[in-house]
């Protein structure tokens, strides 16, 4: 598409513009210092940290159990997946076994969370590009998932979903029926989004060829998750380094070809469908038994270190846990997928128009809680 | 053939008309909105909302045995349990209990560790107040609940 | 003497007053309609609290606008900043002076009834027979179409000046966008209208409607492409989605009216909706036969004449407004350069080709 | 959408295995976790250790040393477990090739829970990184994470940690490099672009200087922030009170 590479005849002064931290489309408190030539972006610098709460420092002063609710608040859109990654690491270090039912329910809820997160992404991405109706439709479906969260975890957003060794409580009565009902209706809803967007010429014009990045370059920039897979790199931690029992389920990893905004969009849409398949497999094979394994009341991993990487909806979410053998972690380093992915914004927006900046921010699917921690 | 079809589809705005059809169908469908203050949502039984200090329904005495577990597990250290040893029975007796809802994560760890189900997070979720100091709940407020003590039941009318 | 006074002053003033009042009310309730419709498209309810199903919401909004603090940014050009909303609003209303909402002689009976109490029958007949007095329009000038085009483009000045005078970056970009956008789409829109004019052979809007009556066909059935062009360009002219770039709130926060608040903002707001109504009225007049019922010359459809002409006009305007809102609830937004591309590379050639084609057909 | 019916039960032993449910009877080193298991193939010992970790007695430290005021954990644990420990890497091709190339620079190669850790001296760090990226045998094209640890009291206080991943080999390794206070680390931005913000973050929170970084400045904290919060000697409470006194004037600073 047109990247406006034609030389400008008239010399124009570079206009410096602050996008954010209060701007409707920066998904929180991201501030992008744009240098504009007319509407063409010459340079973009991200200024972050407005939401920095020092969660890594907080973790050093809490016990392993007490840390967990804070990780809800890094990526609050995918709180379940965030807690999951940390607990997998702790359990691995301590050699705690989670009963099969607990493992299955965890995977199911993480996948539900993935759908919910992608729905929120689609909603905001669409409204950034001007399709305001998709926003509400996505929120309607997300609401159903949040209701499931509420029924199981007792909270909608910052769920404090899992505990060391499994879950807090078993599924509430009626949960499976509600989940089935949602899953049965869901494909038709996704088709509707696609009718509104996928073939729409305006949507295509706004997303095809925007923010193109090759697979090799995407790896260089540390992109993970759908932004990386949109560029055709097959790297999904659920397949590459399976954790928590994902190898027991069948699903595809959707890949893009061109590495543009449209391919990332398609990859995420398809991922929602795949997550649904995983949940259906879980529900079909859900075994009985306890949901919480035997875990000590005081969690004290042995001295050592472990990097626990999981595939959060936004990409590779890593917890690098260093233990000195005490009840408080020596250090927990969170590897937030969007903090690292956001660096690439500068590279992606160069030469595009200002309106594309918004599309590209949307396609990176950032959550500022996670970027700033 | 398919090229001509595609061309015709493009000319006659088939993609846009499809989208319009979707939105048109929805225009007359039922709405999803909840009229919040009028219709209160039905929250899940497990919902972790406003804290409550439970009393024994029969005797009316507090269930809390002042074991201090909740205060220790709390990530934010916002629970303060005050206790006194009864000189006769040598049992710990609860003297005061404060819960700072302004800092609460609503993680539910306190109700999880409580051996007697004394502290419980209820389905009450309307916690907004006008001052910071009123977010510090003392024992009386924790036992009676929020609405009933501050504004009366009709506050959210 | 008194007759002329009545014809050229009293009756027009009454009509103008009525139109301004009705139009203001229509705009207010158009906002409500839009909010409600979009809400239902999006499975929401929309305004519900003020009045029954939010029926008093526009009044509450209006009050809020008036009572809000009127801020003029310290770095803004105060005079232009205050003038711009008016420049934007007034043309939107002025355009309505030539748009016919009813047939000539619409008020004949009414006028005769009232005037005969005060005047002698000869002068009553003189007044009544004058089309300006008794027609369903304020005035009927023979260059009405040109008048509409020129006056409505003055309104754009308000947008540009407002964005410029704010002395802020987002409004400036919005103003730049709107000036470019309006210029490009004005051309295509002009050509779309020209093909109608070729067919009708008149620049008077009343005449054009009468031609459609005489021909028996609305021009929509004869020139659907031109209608489509007019509609699209109208959306672009009125800054409606998918062409709402000057105020694209997800990009430019609010575009040209970012710095405006309170009453001045409400003027811009009114202007936008007034323009929507204007474009719809224009489209109805040019293509959907104004006040005419569908297929006016088909005898067995004669029962449609029961509905008064003004009602037909209003129904049609409503339908087009509904289309506008519906489209807004469905489509994403174009990018600036794509918008310009569409304007110059797609719509303009189509419009031009359309004009040439019809000219050729008419010549043969 | 018809795929949902095709779910097959997993293969008996291999599929059932997962990270936290390594049951003792399932065979070690199945194809399950490719990254971890790959190393297990190259050296049998860590895998052995991992297996025995599940079967040995529970970590005594976890259960025994509890605070007195908390009820003790359930004493009876059926499976006796041994706490995982660091094992020296044996027969690790990467370690051998690195030692061949950077003889003294490679201090040790260890494995903990099947994750290989190579300790590298600061002098050769940049060359090692370049080697790891460009060498066809290693091909670590993706820097997962870069962070630091603060071992307050050690001679070389900080430890910069790199996590690398090879998309081709699908292996994950960890590099550790001890850094004394005031020493500067060669920047990895020229090796992986993604190191840019990671190094800024480490600089911001630990105060470790990266030489050759294009734009080394604070990233998460405001530019006028004092101190480096993730250092172990950073006093959160004092800072907090100073801030409160300065901005809110509601509390006294402790003497």
């Amino acid at each position: 598409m047109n990247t406006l590479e034609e030389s400008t005849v008239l010399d124009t002064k570079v206009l410096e513009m602050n996008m954010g931290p209060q701007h409707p489309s920066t998904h929180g408190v991201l501030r992008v210092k744009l240098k504009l030539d007319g509407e063409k972006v010459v340079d973009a610098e991200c200024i972050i940290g407005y939401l920095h709460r020092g969660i890594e420092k907080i973790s050093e002063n809490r016990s392993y159990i007490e840390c967990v609710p804070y990780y809800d608040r890094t990526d609050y859109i995918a709180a379940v997946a965030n807690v999951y990654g940390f607990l997998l690491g702790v359990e691995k270090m301590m050699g705690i076994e989670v009963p099969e039912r607990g493992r299955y329910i965890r995977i199911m809820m993480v996948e539900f969370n993935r759908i919910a997160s992608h729905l929120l992404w689609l909603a905001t991405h669409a409204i950034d590009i001007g399709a305001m109706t998709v926003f509400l439709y996505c929120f309607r479906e997300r609401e159903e998932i949040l209701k499931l969260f509420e029924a199981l975890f007792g909270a909608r957003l910052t769920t404090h979903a899992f505990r060391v060794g499994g879950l807090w409580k078993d599924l509430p009565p009626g949960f499976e029926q509600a989940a089935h009902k949602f899953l049965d209706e869901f494909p038709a809803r996704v088709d509707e989004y696609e009718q509104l967007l996928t073939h729409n010429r305006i949507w295509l014009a706004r997303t095809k060829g925007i923010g193109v990045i090759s697979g090799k370059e995407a790896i260089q920039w540390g992109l993970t998750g759908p932004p990386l897979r949109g560029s055709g790199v097959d790297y999904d931690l659920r397949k590459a380094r399976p954790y928590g029992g994902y190898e027991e389920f069948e699903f595809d990893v959707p890949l893009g070809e061109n590495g543009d905004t449209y391919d990332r969009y398609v990859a995420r849409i398809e991922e929602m469908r795949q997550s649904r398949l995983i949940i259906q497999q879980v529900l079909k094979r859900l075994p009985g038994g306890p949901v919480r394994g035997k875990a000590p009341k005081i969690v004290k991993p042995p001295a050592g270190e472990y990097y626990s990487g999981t595939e959060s909806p936004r990409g590779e979410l890593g917890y690098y846990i260093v233990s000195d053998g005490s009840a408080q972690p020596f250090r927990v380093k969170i590897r937030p997928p969007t903090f690292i992915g956001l660096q690439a914004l500068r590279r992606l927006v160069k030469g595009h128009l200002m309106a594309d900046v918004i599309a590209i921010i949307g396609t990176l699917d950032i959550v500022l809680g996670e970027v700033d921690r | 053939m398919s090229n001509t079809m595609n061309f015709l589809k493009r000319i006659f705005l088939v993609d846009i008309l499809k989208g319009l059809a979707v939105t048109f169908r929805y225009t007359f469908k039922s709405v999803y909105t909840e009229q919040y203050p009028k219709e209160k949502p039905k929250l899940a039984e497990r919902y972790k909302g406003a804290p409550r200090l439970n009393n024994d329904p029969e005797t009316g005495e507090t269930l809390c045995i002042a074991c201090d577990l909740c205060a220790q597990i709390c990530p934010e250290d916002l629970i303060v349990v005050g206790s006194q040893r009864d000189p006769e029975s040598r049992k710990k007796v609860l003297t005061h209990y404060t819960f700072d809802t302004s800092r609460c994560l609503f993680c539910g760890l306190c109700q999880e560790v409580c051996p007697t189900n004394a502290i419980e997070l209820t389905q009450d979720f309307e916690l907004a107040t006008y001052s910071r100091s009123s977010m510090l709940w003392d024992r009386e407020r924790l036992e009676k609940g929020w609405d009933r003590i501050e504004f009366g039941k009709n506050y959210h009318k | 003497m008194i007759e002329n006074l009545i014809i050229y002053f009293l009756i027009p003033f009454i009509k103008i007053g009525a139109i301004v009042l009705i139009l203001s009310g229509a705009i207010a309730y158009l906002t409500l309609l839009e909010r409600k419709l979009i809400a239902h498209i999006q499975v929401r309810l929309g305004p519900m609290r003020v009045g029954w199903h939010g029926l008093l919401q526009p009044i509450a909004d209006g009050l809020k606008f008036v009572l809000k603090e009127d801020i003029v940014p310290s770095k803004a050009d105060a005079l232009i900043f205050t003038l711009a909303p008016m420049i934007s609003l007034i043309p939107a209303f002025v355009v309505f002076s030539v748009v016919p909402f009813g047939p000539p002689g619409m008020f004949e009976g009414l006028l005769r009834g009232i005037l005969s109490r005060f005047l002698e029958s000869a002068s009553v007949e003189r007044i009544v027979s004058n089309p300006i007095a008794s027609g369903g329009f304020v005035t009927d000038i023979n260059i009405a179409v040109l008048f509409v085009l020129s006056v409505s483009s003055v309104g754009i000045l308000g947008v540009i000046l407002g964005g410029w005078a704010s002395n802020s970056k987002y409004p400036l970009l919005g103003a730049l966008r709107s000036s470019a956008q309006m210029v490009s789409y004005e051309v295509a829109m002009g050509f779309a209208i020209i093909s109608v004019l070729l067919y009708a052979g008149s620049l008077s809007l009343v005449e054009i409607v009468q031609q459609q009556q005489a021909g028996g066909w609305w021009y929509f059935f004869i020139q659907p492409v031109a209608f489509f062009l007019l509609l699209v360009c109208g959306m672009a002219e009125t800054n409606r989605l998918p062409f709402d770039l000057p105020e694209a709130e997800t990009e430019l926060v609010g575009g040209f009216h970012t710095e405006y608040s309170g009453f001045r903002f409400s003027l811009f707001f009114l202007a936008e909706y007034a323009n929507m109504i204007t474009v719809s009225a224009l489209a109805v007049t040019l293509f959907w036969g104004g006040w005419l019922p569908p297929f006016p010359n088909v005898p067995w459809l004669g029962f449609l004449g029961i509905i008064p002409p003004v009602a037909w006009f209003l129904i049609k305007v409503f339908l087009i407004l509904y289309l506008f809102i519906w489209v807004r609830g469905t489509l994403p937004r174009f990018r600036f350069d794509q918008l310009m591309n569409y304007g110059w590379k797609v719509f303009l050639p189509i419009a031009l080709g359309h004009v040439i084609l019809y000219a050729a057909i008419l010549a043969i | 959408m018809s795929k949902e019916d095709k779910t097959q039960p997993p293969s008996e032993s291999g599929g059932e295995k997962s990270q936290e449910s390594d049951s003792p009877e399932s065979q070690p080193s199945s194809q399950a976790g490719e990254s971890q298991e790959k190393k297990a193939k190259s050296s049998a010992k860590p895998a052995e250790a991992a297996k025995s970790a599940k079967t040995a007695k529970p970590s005594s430290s976890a259960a025994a040393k509890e605070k007195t005021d908390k009820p003790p954990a359930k004493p009876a644990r059926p499976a006796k477990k041994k706490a995982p420990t660091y094992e020296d890497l044996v027969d690790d091709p990467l370690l051998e090739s690195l030692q061949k190339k950077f003889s003294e620079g490679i201090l040790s190669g260890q494995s903990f829970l099947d994750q290989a850790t190579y300790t590298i001296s600061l002098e050769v760090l940049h060359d090692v990184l370049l080697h790891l990226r460009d060498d066809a045998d290693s091909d670590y094209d993706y820097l997962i994470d870069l962070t630091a640890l603060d071992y307050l009291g050690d001679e070389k206080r900080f430890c910069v940690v790199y996590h690398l991943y090879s998309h081709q080999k699908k292996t994950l390794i960890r590099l550790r490099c001890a850094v004394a206070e005031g020493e500067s680390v060669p920047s990895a931005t020229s090796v992986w672009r993604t190191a840019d913000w990671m190094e800024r973050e480490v600089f911001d929170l630990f105060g470790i200087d990266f030489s050759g970084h294009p734009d080394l400045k604070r990233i998460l904290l405001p530019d006028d922030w004092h101190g480096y919060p993730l250092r172990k000697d950073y006093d959160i409470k004092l800072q907090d009170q100073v801030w409160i006194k300065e901005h809110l004037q509601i509390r006294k600073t402790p003497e």
Side-chain angles (χ1 to χ4, degrees):
Chain A
M1 285 254 123
N2 193 356
T3 47
L4 289 184
E5 283 303 315
E6 311 97 82
S7 64
T8 36
V9 183
L10 289 169
D11 246 1
T12 47
K13 223 168 105 183
V14 170
L15 181 74
E16 209 170 274
M17 190 148 94
N18 272 314
M19 208 160 128
Q22 282 115 4
H23 185 281
S25 307
T26 51
H27 295 220
V29 284
L30 171 68
R31 177 170 155 219
V32 188
K33 226 187 201 167
L34 289 173
K35 291 208 172 93
L36 297 176
D37 176 11
E39 285 214 23
K40 187 181 146 194
V41 178
V42 181
D43 194 12
E45 187 192 348
C46 290
I47 295 162
I48 58 172
Y50 293 93
L51 209 58
H52 181 61
R53 294 150 293 176
I55 283 180
E56 286 173 13
K57 186 70 181 175
I58 290 173
S59 314
E60 290 179 13
N61 297 301
R62 301 283 188 279
S63 76
Y64 283 91
I65 295 174
E66 290 169 12
C67 279
V68 178
Y70 290 96
Y71 302 137
D72 278 338
R73 283 149 178 88
T74 53
D75 178 357
Y76 36 80
I77 308 298
V80 180
N82 269 261
V83 169
Y84 187 49
F86 176 73
L87 289 178
L88 282 178
V90 173
E91 283 158 6
K92 175 86 179 171
M93 287 179 89
M94 296 186 64
I96 296 172
E97 275 175 39
V98 180
E100 197 167 44
R101 185 176 173 85
R103 272 196 305 125
Y104 274 45
I105 294 176
R106 279 182 174 195
I107 287 177
M108 171 167 72
M109 295 324 284
V110 169
E111 291 307 317
F112 264 128
N113 199 193
R114 192 181 311 279
I115 296 179
S117 168
H118 281 351
L119 281 171
L120 189 93
W121 157 79
L122 180 62
T124 50
H125 190 39
I127 205 170
D128 285 350
I129 298 185
M132 56 199 280
T133 300
V134 179
F135 181 81
L136 273 297
Y137 292 172
C138 289
F139 264 65
R140 179 190 50 183
E141 266 72 77
R142 181 166 171 267
E143 180 69 26
E144 294 299 324
I145 296 179
L146 294 186
K147 275 182 187 159
L148 292 178
F149 283 177
E150 187 187 311
L152 177 55
F153 303 134
R156 292 156 52 86
L157 206 62
T158 50
T159 45
H160 191 202
F162 307 134
R163 308 292 192 269
V164 178
L167 281 97
W168 173 32
K169 282 182 182 172
D170 203 345
L171 298 179
F175 182 92
E176 282 175 59
Q177 288 89 309
H180 274 301
K181 185 164 168 282
F182 172 79
L183 294 175
D184 292 342
E185 285 172 3
F186 189 60
R189 311 285 179 149
V190 180
D191 289 347
E192 275 173 7
Y193 313 148
E194 292 222 77
Q195 270 193 11
L196 282 169
L197 298 176
T198 308
H199 304 294
N200 187 301
R201 66 188 69 194
I202 303 173
W203 182 261
L204 290 175
R206 286 300 302 276
T207 54
K208 278 217 161 166
I210 303 302
V212 182
I213 191 164
S214 70
K216 255 206 144 66
E217 218 180 336
I219 293 171
Q220 260 281 316
W221 281 99
L223 289 176
T224 46
L228 180 68
R229 293 194 284 274
S231 299
V233 180
D234 187 1
Y235 179 62
D236 185 324
L237 267 80
R238 292 174 291 175
K239 292 267 193 203
R241 303 204 294 273
Y243 52 85
Y246 266 105
E247 62 274 16
E248 296 167 33
F249 301 102
E250 265 180 39
F251 60 97
D252 294 331
V253 178
L255 296 178
E257 283 168 16
N258 308 318
D260 57 7
T261 301
Y262 180 75
D263 279 14
R264 293 188 276 267
Y265 156 79
V266 172
R268 283 200 180 95
I269 293 265
E270 193 51 39
E271 236 170 65
M272 290 201 273
R273 295 208 168 101
Q274 293 299 330
S275 290
R276 171 178 167 271
L277 292 186
I278 296 176
I279 298 169
Q280 279 184 328
Q281 292 175 42
V282 171
L283 284 172
K284 209 173 192 176
R285 313 215 298 251
L286 195 63
V291 291
R292 192 165 185 177
K294 293 195 178 82
K297 279 265 166 69
I298 300 264
V299 177
K300 272 188 184 174
E305 58 197 327
Y306 187 72
Y307 174 82
S308 154
T310 55
E311 183 75 23
S312 106
R314 265 154 263 283
E316 172 163 3
L317 172 77
Y319 284 91
Y320 174 47
I321 307 164
V322 184
S323 163
D324 55 1
S326 69
Q328 295 182 344
F330 179 74
R331 169 131 168 75
V332 178
K333 163 71 173 98
I334 307 165
R335 186 232 185 255
T338 55
F339 170 73
I340 288 156
L342 186 58
Q343 295 179 79
L345 181 73
R346 190 178 206 158
R347 147 78 182 74
L348 290 173
V349 299
K350 245 175 221 176
H352 283 301
L353 287 175
M354 204 193 133
D356 296 329
V357 177
I358 281 138
I360 291 168
I361 290 176
T363 195
L364 286 175
D365 192 16
I366 54 167
V367 169
L368 265 293
E370 186 183 60
V371 172
D372 295 342
R373 275 154 294 147
Chain B
M1 184 58 208
S2 72
N3 270 346
T4 4
M5 270 310 279
N6 282 342
F7 182 71
L8 283 177
K9 274 186 181 172
R10 233 183 126 62
I11 290 276
F12 288 104
L13 306 167
V14 171
D15 49 334
I16 286 170
L17 290 178
K18 268 185 180 168
L20 285 171
V22 170
T23 44
F24 188 75
R25 270 205 304 278
Y26 270 109
T27 315
F28 308 105
K29 273 194 186 170
S30 60
V31 289
Y32 197 84
T33 315
E34 275 170 15
Q35 296 268 59
Y36 159 57
K38 274 191 204 158
E39 313 166 9
K40 294 266 167 107
K42 218 178 134 245
L43 292 181
E45 198 192 327
R46 291 179 188 180
Y47 190 79
K48 294 179 281 200
R52 185 176 65 202
L53 201 56
N54 286 333
N55 286 335
D56 192 325
E58 286 166 21
T59 58
E61 276 174 31
T62 182
L63 284 170
C64 181
I65 53 169
C67 65
D68 208 34
L69 274 178
C70 47
Q72 285 182 18
I73 197 80
C74 181
E76 280 289 325
D77 293 335
L78 51 82
I79 301 176
V80 178
V81 182
S83 62
Q84 221 173 26
R85 208 165 274 282
D86 193 326
E88 286 159 30
S89 62
R90 307 296 299 155
K91 267 165 76 180
K92 265 181 162 180
V93 179
L94 186 70
T95 50
H96 64 269
Y97 193 108
T98 58
F99 192 109
D100 185 354
T101 53
S102 67
R103 280 156 56 210
C104 187
L105 295 167
F106 298 100
C107 62
L109 282 172
C110 48
Q111 66 173 358
E112 229 170 287
V113 296
C114 185
T116 58
N117 283 336
I119 184 78
E120 188 185 340
L121 297 182
T122 61
Q123 278 115 301
D124 224 347
F125 61 93
E126 288 155 325
L127 295 165
T129 71
Y130 289 103
S131 69
R132 287 191 185 190
S133 58
S134 60
M135 296 173 101
L136 196 70
W137 291 26
D138 56 13
R139 185 177 164 185
E140 189 196 2
R141 193 172 281 167
L142 281 166
E143 282 176 352
K144 286 188 181 159
W146 177 245
D147 284 3
R148 276 128 290 208
I149 196 159
E150 195 78 347
F151 306 108
K153 275 210 159 184
N154 293 332
Y155 175 63
H156 290 292
K157 209 174 173 188
Chain C
M1 185 57 218
I2 185 101
E3 295 147 17
N4 281 349
L5 214 60
I6 289 173
I7 293 172
Y8 294 111
F9 281 93
L10 188 61
I11 295 176
F13 266 111
I14 293 169
K15 278 184 186 169
I16 288 169
I19 283 183
V20 168
L21 276 180
I22 292 170
L23 203 55
S24 309
I27 290 165
Y29 277 87
L30 180 59
T31 62
L32 181 69
L33 175 77
E34 166 150 38
R35 288 170 71 174
K36 275 288 187 192
L37 255 179
I38 291 226
H40 279 272
I41 283 176
Q42 299 171 342
V43 292
R44 295 184 287 127
L45 281 168
M48 286 293 281
R49 297 289 153 80
V50 191
W52 184 79
H53 279 248
L55 268 183
L56 300 177
Q57 186 72 39
I59 296 164
D61 283 345
L63 270 177
K64 183 193 76 177
F65 278 134
V66 172
L67 295 176
K68 259 190 166 179
E69 188 186 355
D70 180 24
I71 300 167
V72 179
S74 58
K75 292 267 176 69
D77 188 332
L79 178 70
I80 300 178
F81 188 83
T82 45
L83 270 181
M86 299 175 209
I87 296 176
S88 172
L89 180 64
I90 291 167
F93 277 81
V94 169
V95 167
F96 252 82
S97 59
V98 295
V99 173
F101 43 86
M106 176 185 165
F107 296 122
E108 250 181 47
L110 188 72
L111 275 180
R112 197 172 279 130
I114 296 172
L115 291 177
S116 55
R117 298 189 190 172
F118 309 106
L119 299 169
E120 56 204 65
S121 63
S123 53
V124 169
E125 280 313 310
R126 277 254 302 284
I127 293 171
V128 167
S129 63
N130 189 308
I132 293 177
S134 62
F137 37 81
V138 178
T139 179
D140 173 26
I141 52 179
N142 53 9
I143 51 154
V145 174
L146 290 183
F147 179 81
V148 168
L149 284 177
S150 53
V151 170
S152 66
S153 48
V154 171
I156 295 146
L157 263 182
V159 170
I160 297 167
L161 289 177
W164 178 258
S166 302
N167 208 351
S168 167
K169 283 166 187 171
Y170 285 112
L172 179 67
L173 280 179
L176 284 175
R177 282 179 174 192
S178 70
S179 51
Q181 173 179 336
M182 311 250 176
V183 168
S184 15
Y185 278 80
E186 197 104 309
V187 180
M189 187 171 172
F191 278 114
I193 293 176
I194 282 176
S195 51
V196 175
L197 301 183
L198 282 175
Y199 207 84
S202 167
L203 281 169
S204 156
L205 289 171
V206 179
E207 184 96 26
I208 288 172
V209 176
Q210 282 169 334
Q211 290 277 352
Q212 293 182 53
Q213 188 164 24
W217 292 93
W218 293 355
Y219 284 164
F220 171 71
F221 300 108
I222 298 165
Q223 303 185 334
V225 179
F227 171 72
F228 173 73
L229 283 173
L230 178 73
L231 207 63
V232 172
C233 297
M235 282 179 195
E237 288 279 294
T238 50
N239 300 334
R240 299 284 304 173
L241 241 142
F243 306 102
D244 66 340
L245 296 163
E247 48 191 305
E249 67 261 14
T250 52
E251 294 158 27
L252 298 182
V253 188
F256 61 88
H257 59 60
T258 306
E259 302 291 342
Y260 281 89
S261 65
F263 188 60
R264 279 178 228 294
F265 169 75
S266 77
L267 292 185
F268 269 131
F269 198 67
L270 285 178
E272 184 188 327
Y273 282 84
N275 278 328
M276 258 174 85
I277 296 179
T278 313
V279 168
S280 315
L282 192 66
V284 165
T285 313
L286 290 177
F287 290 98
W288 282 11
W291 62 82
L292 302 175
F295 308 106
N297 291 354
V298 178
W300 58 270
L301 279 174
F303 66 91
L304 290 172
I306 299 167
I307 302 171
V310 182
W312 275 117
F313 180 77
L314 291 179
I315 289 169
K316 287 182 217 167
V317 169
F318 170 81
L319 282 179
I320 292 193
L321 288 173
Y322 179 87
L323 188 68
F324 271 36
I325 294 166
W326 182 17
V327 165
R328 181 177 174 212
T330 308
L331 294 184
R333 181 183 298 123
F334 273 114
R335 203 174 60 196
F336 180 59
D337 61 321
Q338 291 162 351
L339 176 97
M340 300 300 282
N341 277 347
Y342 267 89
W344 290 106
K345 295 183 186 165
V346 179
F347 294 131
L348 186 61
I350 292 178
L352 212 71
H354 192 255
V355 169
I356 292 169
L357 188 73
Y358 270 89
I361 291 173
L362 287 176
I364 296 162
Chain D
M1 285 314 101
S2 61
K3 265 190 205 153
E4 63 249 40
D5 303 325
K6 282 198 230 151
T7 58
Q8 290 158 354
S11 57
E12 304 80 30
S13 67
E16 289 291 332
K17 205 164 126 47
S18 79
Q19 282 192 359
E20 76 261 62
S21 73
D22 284 9
S23 52
E25 60 270 16
S26 73
Q27 296 93 336
S29 82
S30 74
Q31 60 274 56
E34 254 182 279
S35 71
Q36 275 103 28
E37 305 305 337
K38 222 166 202 168
K39 265 181 234 77
K41 271 175 210 153
S42 61
S43 70
K45 225 178 159 194
E48 209 82 56
K51 191 191 165 194
S52 58
K54 308 295 183 297
T55 54
K57 72 177 279 293
S59 60
S60 57
S61 60
K65 283 185 248 158
E66 285 180 319
K67 287 185 211 161
T68 46
D69 45 15
K70 297 208 177 186
K74 281 164 203 137
R77 305 274 309 277
K80 303 253 171 188
K81 287 181 189 174
K82 198 186 84 194
T85 50
Y86 283 100
E87 312 269 344
D88 280 335
L89 282 171
V90 184
D91 295 337
D92 185 65
L94 183 65
L95 181 65
E96 280 166 15
S97 79
L98 280 176
Q99 272 170 340
K100 210 178 278 172
K101 196 145 191 281
F102 305 98
S103 50
E104 279 97 71
I106 311 300
L107 300 175
S108 72
Q110 287 180 315
S111 140
F112 184 83
L113 283 170
D114 296 349
Q115 288 186 339
T117 309
Y118 303 91
T119 313
I120 290 160
S121 74
L122 185 60
E123 289 77 43
V124 295
L125 176 65
H126 196 253
D127 296 332
V128 170
L129 294 180
L130 268 177
H131 172 80
L132 284 173
R133 186 193 68 176
D134 294 332
D135 188 57
D137 287 340
S138 42
D139 196 25
Y140 286 94
D141 50 354
Y142 166 37
L143 172 68
I144 295 181
D145 196 15
L146 189 165
T147 186
L149 305 170
D150 179 11
Y151 293 103
L152 185 65
D154 282 16
E155 187 194 344
K156 287 198 164 185
R157 178 177 176 180
F158 297 114
C159 176
V160 181
V161 185
Y162 298 79
H163 285 91
L164 306 182
Y165 182 77
S166 162
H167 274 103
Q168 210 168 16
K169 293 183 3 186
K170 299 194 188 307
T171 51
L172 178 138
I173 59 167
R174 179 185 304 128
L175 305 180
R176 292 175 72 121
C177 175
V179 182
E181 196 168 358
E183 271 185 306
S184 65
V185 182
S187 168
T189 41
S190 55
V191 190
W192 298 282
R193 298 299 298 270
T194 178
D196 184 347
W197 280 18
M198 298 180 186
E199 283 176 356
R200 277 178 69 185
E201 192 192 341
V202 170
F203 167 75
D204 190 1
L205 303 177
F206 284 95
I208 299 173
D209 182 49
F210 288 88
S211 57
H213 189 283
D215 185 24
L216 197 65
K217 59 181 184 191
R218 286 198 182 268
I219 183 166
L220 292 175
L221 300 174
D223 291 338
D224 54 354
W225 193 267
H226 295 291
Y228 301 102
L230 278 183
R231 289 188 176 187
K232 289 286 176 191
D233 54 359
Y234 181 86
D235 193 341
I236 278 188
K237 290 196 171 115
L238 187 72
Q239 285 260 350
D240 188 39
Q241 279 157 355
V242 169
W243 188 90
I244 285 174
K245 187 184 180 226
E246 202 175 298
H247 290 88
L248 305 177
Q249 283 106 31
I250 54 170
R251 213 188 285 168
K252 274 190 188 140
T253 321
E255 258 64 51

